[in-house]
Amino acid sequence: MKTELDSDRDFSQQIARTIRDAILGGDLPADGRLPSESDLAAQFNVSRPTVREALKRLAAQNLIRTQRGATGGAFVNRLGFDEAQEHLVTTATLLLSMNRVDFETACESRFALERACLPLACARRAPAHLAALHAEIARQGTEGLSDEDFCASDVAFHRALVDAAANPVLSWHLAGAVEAMQPLMNMITFTARSRARIVALHGALADAVAARDADAAGAAMDSLAAYTLELGGQIRARRARPAPDTAAG
Amino acid sequence: MKTELDSDRDFSQQIARTIRDAILGGDLPADGRLPSESDLAAQFNVSRPTVREALKRLAAQNLIRTQRGATGGAFVNRLGFDEAQEHLVTTATLLLSMNRVDFETACESRFALERACLPLACARRAPAHLAALHAEIARQGTEGLSDEDFCASDVAFHRALVDAAANPVLSWHLAGAVEAMQPLMNMITFTARSRARIVALHGALADAVAARDADAAGAAMDSLAAYTLELGGQIRARRARPAPDTAAG
DNA sequence: TCGTTTGCAATTGTCAGACAATTATCGGTC
DNA sequence: GACCGATAATTGTCTGACAATTGCAAACGA
């Protein structure tokens, strides 16, 4: 591992990058233990707090985990799908909120991606997947469900739909796309009428997937996308901001 | 902002989470300045190094940037697509490499997602997009191009294809999917014959997009996916590891 | 009056040493 | 042999200090 650092630069950043590259390059195997903070400080010729800052940077990226005690230390994290998903959602959420992405753009992106999962979902859906879909549909029909809970169930439904494709990488990508939309979806007020329509479309989707009918599923998804966009019009209307003419040129 | 911390827990992690939630919740506007490290230390009733560790965690997530000097401090980062993309690629790459994701699974995911962009790309492609596609196709036909450069051009081609959909969120997602595949693609040795076939398929894709023929583009993409999978067989054969029976159950 | 320069203050970056908390290991005792 | 305490290693945190950077304003000269 490199022990030379450019002066008049951020040491902890350089150290973090060096270790990160070592991990990505495979020099440090998963679950392998890094030298102790004192050793690293000696290697890089910096103080322990500086090393610690570098380690915290890596910990924030889920690249390492730390453990106290005699056999403790920093260990290379075997990045699981769950943690990576959390990370993806955070980044995606920020990206949408900070760049003032139109509801239309985010919506279009999300449904386009989700539509891509349907053929696979139809081909591979197992009974457990169908059960998950129906469970969420039932929940969405509950009386007195808050808008937030309805949204949460909606997200769960769509994630179950994607999971039916039985491709963890696909599920990971889509989880980011779907969950990042939740703050935007939460701005929508769902009337009883709109809920009923959404639940009906969800039912059509579930049925199509159960029947392994990719075309019908695609059609239902398109309807759902169109209706979601329609509902999203509320948001723009409420904000009363002029619509940018960048969309659908 | 909360100033209470659970004892016997990792302070810096709690502080980072608190500030992170404040940023995600919109309490801290983009480009807004956080209190100085000393002030934060006083607020949370911890020492400055602890606060610094928390800030480094946030900096690692591109949530804040720091600046030295009199008017310096920590500022909420306006997360741009570029930085978010870099982040996404890192996470995706790690996810693929550390979970020993099959080439087939990653490939399937990537092409499924990319296929979802084609209708939009056909609808919105502008002359600049077509020019970018043809430029990469021309580069891929160059004699004496190394495998790595061929791969890089392949990535550039597909990113240009996705960019033609004119949806930045979609481009962001796909950049992660496509670039994360590059290490896997680099394990393939491209013969002159296979290169010619890929270039031909790229040409078909570009022509279909130019003609706004989504069906033809989809067909070309399917062919490309199938052929890439075929080439990927090399990798599994070389590794000589028995294929896990988890795929396509 | 205007432009330049110099000093100051605020802030982050880094260091050194120390102590507390945690945990596995080793040795002793019953 | 089983149980228990001392021990050592390691991370987590604190205190205090100094260096580097940078904006700003006051002082100074033309």
Side-chain angles (χ1 to χ4, degrees):
Chain A
M1 189 176 297
K2 269 185 208 167
T3 58
E4 304 278 322
L5 298 177
D6 289 344
S7 189
D8 62 61
R9 289 282 309 264
D10 197 328
F11 285 168
S12 72
Q13 195 165 8
Q14 292 179 66
I15 295 172
R17 186 172 293 274
T18 301
I19 298 178
R20 194 200 71 163
D21 289 345
I23 294 175
L24 261 71
D27 299 342
L28 295 169
D31 295 328
R33 183 179 173 281
L34 270 64
S36 73
E37 294 176 352
S38 304
D39 290 347
L40 286 173
Q43 277 185 36
F44 288 105
N45 203 25
V46 297
S47 68
R48 198 160 79 94
T50 303
V51 167
R52 280 183 63 79
E53 287 180 6
L55 293 180
K56 293 312 170 196
R57 292 181 119 107
L58 298 174
Q61 295 177 288
N62 272 313
L63 282 171
I64 62 170
R65 62 182 182 279
T66 55
Q67 199 175 345
R68 297 222 289 204
T71 59
F75 298 85
V76 178
N77 222 348
R78 179 179 297 279
L79 187 62
F81 280 94
D82 291 341
E83 300 137 32
Q85 211 160 82
E86 190 183 340
H87 229 258
L88 177 58
V89 171
T90 301
T91 306
T93 305
L94 249 112
L95 198 55
L96 292 189
S97 74
M98 283 196 167
N99 290 277
R100 300 206 170 273
V101 173
D102 321 355
F103 183 84
E104 289 83 358
T105 304
C107 207
E108 175 181 281
S109 157
R110 181 207 135 162
F111 280 105
L113 295 178
E114 195 170 346
R115 206 179 187 293
C117 306
L118 292 179
L120 289 169
C122 286
R124 300 195 187 145
R125 97 284 186 287
H129 300 133
L130 298 179
L133 292 178
H134 288 130
E136 293 303 330
I137 290 176
R139 212 175 120 208
Q140 287 158 21
T142 314
E143 291 271 338
L145 200 68
S146 71
D147 273 3
E148 226 170 58
D149 288 341
F150 183 79
C151 267
S153 175
D154 182 72
V155 167
F157 175 85
H158 286 282
R159 289 192 53 177
L161 187 62
V162 171
D163 286 342
N167 184 318
V169 183
L170 210 47
S171 291
W172 176 73
H173 277 292
L174 265 294
V178 172
E179 297 235 9
M181 284 278 304
Q182 200 162 12
L184 293 175
M185 297 293 284
N186 271 329
M187 300 177 75
I188 298 176
T189 52
F190 292 97
T191 63
R193 185 195 174 91
S194 60
R195 286 195 194 188
R197 178 146 181 200
I198 289 173
V199 170
L201 287 170
H202 283 176
L205 262 171
D207 290 346
V209 170
R212 302 191 190 280
D213 185 344
D215 290 336
M221 183 68 79
D222 287 343
S223 299
L224 190 57
Y227 188 57
T228 305
L229 266 179
E230 193 183 321
L231 288 177
Q234 293 178 2
I235 299 176
R236 191 170 48 184
R238 196 178 312 159
R239 283 190 183 172
R241 297 184 58 199
D245 52 358
T246 60
Chain B
M1 189 174 297
K2 270 185 207 164
T3 57
E4 304 280 322
L5 298 178
D6 289 345
S7 188
D8 62 61
R9 289 282 309 263
D10 197 329
F11 284 168
S12 72
Q13 194 165 9
Q14 292 179 67
I15 296 172
R17 186 171 293 274
T18 302
I19 300 178
R20 194 201 70 164
D21 290 345
I23 295 175
L24 260 70
D27 299 342
L28 296 169
D31 295 327
R33 182 179 174 281
L34 270 65
S36 73
E37 294 175 352
S38 304
D39 289 348
L40 286 173
Q43 277 185 36
F44 287 106
N45 203 26
V46 295
S47 67
R48 198 162 76 95
T50 303
V51 167
R52 281 183 61 80
E53 286 180 7
L55 293 180
K56 294 312 169 196
R57 291 182 119 107
L58 298 174
Q61 295 178 289
N62 270 313
L63 283 171
I64 62 169
R65 62 182 183 278
T66 55
Q67 197 176 345
R68 300 221 291 204
T71 59
F75 299 85
V76 178
N77 222 350
R78 178 180 298 278
L79 188 61
F81 281 94
D82 291 341
E83 299 139 32
Q85 211 161 285
E86 189 183 342
H87 224 258
L88 176 58
V89 171
T90 301
T91 306
T93 305
L94 247 110
L95 198 55
L96 293 189
S97 73
M98 281 197 167
N99 290 276
R100 301 204 168 273
V101 174
D102 321 356
F103 183 84
E104 288 84 359
T105 304
C107 205
E108 175 181 282
S109 158
R110 182 209 137 163
F111 280 105
L113 295 178
E114 196 169 346
R115 205 180 188 292
C117 306
L118 291 180
L120 289 168
C122 286
R124 299 194 188 145
R125 96 286 186 285
H129 299 134
L130 298 179
L133 293 178
H134 288 131
E136 293 304 330
I137 290 176
R139 212 174 121 208
Q140 287 157 23
T142 315
E143 291 271 336
L145 201 67
S146 72
D147 274 3
E148 227 170 56
D149 287 342
F150 183 79
C151 267
S153 175
D154 183 73
V155 167
F157 175 85
H158 287 280
R159 290 192 54 177
L161 188 62
V162 171
D163 285 343
N167 183 318
V169 182
L170 211 47
S171 291
W172 176 72
H173 277 292
L174 265 293
V178 172
E179 297 235 10
M181 284 276 306
Q182 200 164 10
L184 292 175
M185 297 293 286
N186 270 330
M187 300 176 73
I188 297 176
T189 51
F190 292 96
T191 63
R193 185 195 175 92
S194 60
R195 286 194 193 188
R197 178 147 180 198
I198 290 174
V199 170
L201 287 169
H202 283 177
L205 262 170
D207 289 347
V209 170
R212 302 191 190 279
D213 185 344
D215 290 334
M221 184 69 79
D222 287 342
S223 300
L224 190 56
Y227 188 57
T228 305
L229 267 178
E230 193 183 321
L231 289 177
Q234 295 178 0
I235 298 176
R236 190 171 46 186
R238 197 177 313 159
R239 282 189 183 171
R241 297 183 57 199
D245 51 0
T246 59

